[in-house]
Amino acid sequence: MEDVIPGRVRRTIDDEPQTYLHRFRTDIFYKELLTCIACLDPRDSFQTFDHEKLLRLAELYSDNFSGFDLGQLRIQLDWYISNMKSNEVFSGLRDIGELAKKMVTMKYHITYDLVYRLVELALVLPVATATIERSFSAMKFIKTDLRNKMGDNFLTDALVCYVEKDIFASVENEAILQRFQAM
């Protein structure tokens, strides 16, 4: 069989199960992440609130929460949910964005700083994911068969220019020429 299948194709076939395994693990990670984020939903008097899942969310964002923070978050979550359910101001909220605004208005983002950090992370996730997806979509236009040997730095620079083309379109060509002449 090794005589029939060239080495490059054989390596691709061997790598394929690893690719599917990585995608499967990534899908499981995002499913868990979204399930944990859903526990912050303020609708129906915080009906989906789950103490353990919110602690798990903090563990998933381990760069943002130290071991000490996790212990403090456990305590804050108890007080937070008790306070939210008893406070009439938080009863009519429809989504996490409104929750964040109301927490800032009521100064609860200071009182429950670790819970508010979870809320912020929940709000940033869709934006970060969309930005990454846009970058990968742009890559097919930048890294073509004719330009497949470009280095990482050049690829990164080209992708930034492509993704942020609206900003670059507002820069006058004359300003760019003068900048390069000055160099």
Side-chain angles (χ1 to χ4, degrees), residues 140 142-149:
K140 69 181 175 193
I142 301 299
K143 194 163 184 169
T144 63
D145 290 338
L146 297 174
R147 289 185 270 170
N148 66 355
K149 293 188 180 194

Side-chain angles (χ1 to χ4, degrees), residues 42 44-46 80-94 98-99 102 106 108:
D44 300 325
S45 296
F46 296 85
Y80 166 80
I81 196 59
S82 173
N83 205 341
M84 293 295 123
K85 286 184 175 182
S86 65
N87 195 332
E88 191 66 32
V89 174
F90 291 94
S91 64
L93 300 178
R94 294 175 299 193
E98 287 183 11
L99 172 65
K102 191 60 73 174
M106 302 289 294
Y108 280 18

Side-chain angles (χ1 to χ4, degrees), residues 29 32-33 36-37 50-74 77 114 117-118 121:
F29 171 77
E32 181 181 16
L33 186 65
C36 292
I37 288 172
D50 186 330
H51 194 271
E52 294 305 315
K53 286 183 182 176
L54 290 174
L55 287 171
R56 176 67 182 137
L57 178 61
E59 290 171 2
L60 291 173
Y61 282 109
S62 60
D63 291 346
N64 295 297
F65 293 92
S66 67
F68 178 76
D69 288 341
L70 289 174
Q72 292 298 308
L73 179 61
R74 183 176 299 277
L77 284 171
L114 298 172
R117 191 180 309 168
L118 284 176
L121 291 169

Side-chain angles (χ1 to χ4, degrees), residues 15-43:
D15 291 344
E16 201 61 30
Q18 292 299 320
T19 302
Y20 288 123
L21 183 61
H22 174 71
R23 286 183 185 162
F24 180 70
R25 286 182 182 155
T26 303
D27 289 345
I28 289 174
F29 171 77
Y30 280 116
K31 184 178 179 182
E32 181 181 16
L33 186 65
L34 292 174
T35 302
C36 292
I37 288 172
C39 295
L40 290 167
D41 190 359
R43 285 180 282 184

